[in-house]
Amino acid sequence: MVEFGLMMTFDTARRQVELAQWAEANGFDAVWLGEGRLTGSAIPPMTMIAAGTDHIKVGTGILPYRTRNVALLAATFKTLDLIAPGRMRMGLGAWWEPLASRTGLPNSKPLTAMREVITVSRELLAGRTVTYHGEFVDVTDIRFDGVEDDDGRAYDVPVFIGAVRFGMVALSGEIADGVLLDFLVPPSYTVEAWGAIRRGAARSGRDLTGFQVPQLIATSVDDSDPQTAIDDCKAFLTQYLAQQSHITEFAGADPEIIAKVKSVVQWPTTKASIREAMQHLPNSLVQSVCACGTTTQTLDKIHEYVAAGVTEATITPMGEDKMRTLEAVASMSAVLGV
């Protein structure tokens, strides 16, 4: 049975809390907040959402895994779990280039770094004292030391890896509780990702029962003007094809289209350059990697992702009228059997 998640895109903390409350009341199972760019921190609004909701799960989709000291990273999720017990999700991912290098954290050896961060975070959240000397994480004899931690209290925070390339997807199958798959890739990618998950699980000999595969799905619905909904997603895809190589690699775009887009869209970019470059993208490409157009077209696309193995369809609403899209998605839950 598929669940619905919501990737937050509204820009004020108060609005994000209101939206999370709306999502909770309208059948969504989870909300996610990310730090993909230098737009702000996800932790303050997550804290407000955790305190302002009752049962919806709240996750980071994603936190760049090396931007926080691992001890403080784990302590942050300990604190969030105290606010909303059993509802927090730690989603970690590799920061994208060139931003990672420009901030002094080049994305070198991401599999090694991710393994080290998750290993130490898990041990701390399990209430253990940790010593670990790795290439990226080096800690000696540390543990949580709040008044509530004297007896080695554990905190129920599942760990998700935000992954695109299949080496990282396989690592999630090996050591994580789930993998948060990215948007702007076709359902065939999801099928292939499950193969990588199983390979990772085989390395550690684990059972994948309960393993979760939420996937971000760029979504826009407009029954009165479907092209507007498609253009909402087209602008988003244009920017990602130009700037984020991990998406460009798997989106299925023709190399000539990618070259034309990159010749117009730089980093940082402008809305005008995106509007100019998006004219190079055909509707067929957009609708192959996004759920957009009419309600029927959107529902059919979500069905494709679910059939490919997604356990949580995590909607990322596009365009100016995001509530129109979210209300349409909420009405789809009965059709999808959630």
Side-chain angles (χ1 to χ4, degrees):
M1 182 177 293
V2 67
E3 296 185 342
F4 270 124
L6 170 61
M7 171 58 77
M8 294 290 194
T9 58
F10 292 95
D11 59 1
T12 68
R14 184 180 298 277
R15 179 58 178 145
Q16 287 176 326
V17 173
E18 293 172 351
L19 185 59
Q21 292 169 338
W22 177 90
E24 186 173 65
N26 283 273
F28 284 78
D29 299 279
V31 293
W32 299 84
L33 297 91
E35 290 185 352
R37 296 190 181 89
L38 290 176
T39 56
S41 171
I43 301 304
M46 281 184 68
T47 305
M48 295 171 64
I49 289 169
T53 54
D54 296 319
H55 62 264
I56 200 165
K57 291 170 282 193
V58 186
T60 49
I62 50 82
L63 288 185
Y65 61 164
R66 289 180 56 209
T67 55
R68 290 165 173 81
N69 172 281
V70 69
L72 294 178
L73 173 68
T76 296
F77 280 88
K78 167 201 160 175
T79 305
L80 289 166
D81 187 64
L82 288 171
I83 296 170
R87 293 199 285 129
M88 306 311 300
R89 292 160 142 185
M90 181 193 292
L92 302 174
W95 222 358
W96 59 282
E97 295 289 1
L99 184 57
S101 291
R102 293 187 184 190
T103 59
L105 291 172
N107 193 23
S108 59
K109 297 186 178 180
L111 295 176
T112 299
M114 183 68 79
R115 184 184 295 275
E116 293 182 5
V117 169
I118 289 179
T119 298
V120 174
S121 296
R122 278 190 178 284
E123 289 291 291
L124 288 169
L125 288 165
R128 301 188 182 103
T129 299
V130 186
T131 294
Y132 187 99
H133 302 303
E135 187 172 351
F136 295 90
V137 176
D138 189 357
V139 300
T140 302
D141 197 26
I142 61 169
R143 71 174 181 89
F144 294 147
D145 60 355
V147 294
E148 64 276 2
D149 295 308
D150 287 349
D151 297 320
R153 174 175 176 173
Y155 298 88
D156 181 18
V157 180
V159 178
F160 289 73
I161 295 179
V164 178
R165 294 190 173 97
F166 292 123
M168 191 68 81
V169 175
L171 184 64
S172 73
E174 182 182 352
I175 67 172
D177 298 292
V179 59
L180 177 62
L181 298 179
D182 219 333
F183 37 44
L184 304 179
V185 292
S188 58
Y189 166 90
T190 309
V191 173
E192 194 170 351
W194 261 108
I197 292 165
R198 294 187 183 96
R199 290 194 297 273
R203 286 202 297 258
S204 58
R206 69 181 294 192
D207 183 352
L208 285 171
T209 300
F211 189 84
Q212 299 174 66
V213 185
Q215 181 160 10
L216 307 183
I217 303 173
T219 307
S220 184
V221 181
D222 191 334
D223 286 309
S224 63
D225 186 2
Q227 187 60 50
T228 294
I230 295 169
D231 286 343
D232 290 340
C233 290
K234 185 177 293 188
F236 188 62
L237 177 59
T238 298
Q239 183 168 359
Y240 269 69
L241 288 179
Q243 295 180 339
Q244 303 212 26
S245 59
H246 59 289
I247 294 297
T248 307
E249 185 176 343
F250 296 103
D254 186 282
E256 291 185 8
I257 291 176
I258 295 171
K260 290 176 181 177
V261 168
K262 286 187 173 184
S263 70
V264 178
V265 178
Q266 306 298 317
W267 190 90
T269 191
T270 64
K271 291 181 179 179
S273 64
I274 292 172
R275 283 195 298 271
E276 178 183 349
M278 65 186 276
Q279 307 306 317
H280 297 299
L281 273 60
N283 285 355
S284 58
L285 172 62
V286 179
Q287 292 185 296
S288 71
V289 298
C290 302
C292 56
T294 65
T295 298
T296 298
Q297 289 173 316
T298 302
L299 179 60
D300 287 347
K301 196 66 188 183
I302 293 174
H303 265 298
E304 288 184 41
Y305 284 105
V306 173
V310 168
T311 63
E312 177 189 310
T314 304
I315 304 305
T316 306
M318 298 284 110
E320 295 185 4
D321 194 350
K322 294 178 176 64
M323 287 309 303
R324 178 188 63 219
T325 291
L326 291 176
E327 287 166 357
V329 170
S331 71
M332 295 175 191
S333 60
V335 180
L336 284 168
V338 297

